[in-house]
Amino acid sequence: MLDYTGVKCPVCGVPFQPEDDIVVCPECGAPYHRACYQKEGKCVFGDLHAQGKEWQPPEPPKAPDPAAEIKDQECPVCGTLNGHSALFCSRCGASLTGQPQAHQNQAPPYYGGGQPGSPYGGPMPFVFDPMGGVSPAEELAQGVTFGDASKVVKQNTAYYMTVFRYMKQTRRNKFSVCAFFFSGPWMLYRKMYKAGAVVTLLVFGLYLTFQCLLAFVSVPAFLQAVEALGLDQTASLSYSSPEFALVVQYMLQNTALYIQAVCPLFCLVPLLVVMIVTGVKGNKWYMEHCVRTVRMVKASRVEDDPTMTLDARGGVNVAIATCMFVCYFLLNYVVPLLL
C-alpha cells in the first residue's frame, strides 16, 4: 500500500495521517477517508474515469532558486549578502539565523590599536571558516551534504570542501600534491584502507625491486666494467671524473653490460606512473570515499553497531601513517645497507 501521509483528502481537505482509515478508488486510485468516501458515495474524479486516467498525487513544492532570489540576508560574520531563503553564508558558511543586521553591510571593525594598514593594527586578515565558504546544507551527492562529508574529513576540511565543490561543479579532477608524493600512505592516512593497501604494496614492491636490481645487477655490472678497464675498484669515481666517462663509454659499447647497469631505472617508470595517477585521481577517490562512508553510516543502525557513526568512521589514522613512514625509512636507508 502506498504511503498517503500528508496528502489531502479530496472531500474534506484534511491531510492523511499514518493512523487514518484510508480507502482507494478502484478505478483511478484516488485516496479518501473511509467516512468521507461513504458520505460522498462516489469518487469525485469522474472526469478521470471518463478519460481512462489515473489519479496522481500533487507534486511537492519546488525549492526556490538561490540564484534568482533577492539577496537581503546579511551574514553576521563577514557581512556578505545572501539569498532570502539561504540558511548559511555562501562566502564563509556561517549560520544566517543569528543577527543578520550586525554589520549593516559595512566592513568588519578594526582590531588592535594601530591604524589600518599598520603592522599591529587593521582589519583581521581573514575569518577562519572550517567549511572554506561552502554551505554545510549544500548537496554534494544524492542524500549527502557537504556538512556530512566534513564530518568524515575532519582534518583540513576548508581545503577539501572547496576541492569537492570545484570537482562537483566542473566535473574535473583537482591535482593533490600530498597524494602524488605520498600515494599509498596518504590514502591509508585518510582511511581509504583497501585502495591504500594496494597502492602501498605496489609502490613498496617497485621500490624494493629497484634496490635489489641496483645492488645485485647494476653495481656488479659497473664494477665489471671498472675491472675490464683496469681501474682501481677501491677508488671512488665521481660523475665528472675522466675515469667515470671511460666506464660509461665502455658499457655503451657492450649492450648486455649497459642493460644490466640501467635496468633498475625500469622500476622507476611504473613507480612514477603510479604517483602521477594517484596525484590526479586522489581527491576524486577521497570524495567518493566520503560519500560512500556517509551513505553507509546513514543506512546502518547505530544501536546495533556503535562504531557506525560519522565521528567513528571519519577523521584520519595517524598511527598507520607513522608506521608507513617508519617502513619507508627502513626501506630507503636500512635495506640498502643490508644488500
Side-chain angles (χ1 to χ4, degrees), residues 77-78 91-94 124-133 154-159:
V77 176
C78 66
R91 181 174 181 270
C92 69
M124 294 292 288
F126 62 89
V127 177
F128 176 73
D129 175 20
M131 294 295 294
K154 286 189 178 180
Q155 304 294 331
N156 202 10
T157 54
Y159 167 77

Side-chain angles (χ1 to χ4, degrees), residues 130-132 156-164 174-177 283:
M131 294 295 294
N156 202 10
T157 54
Y159 167 77
Y160 283 106
M161 293 303 101
T162 54
V163 168
F164 290 173
K174 184 75 172 179
F175 187 82
S176 173
V177 177
N283 281 325

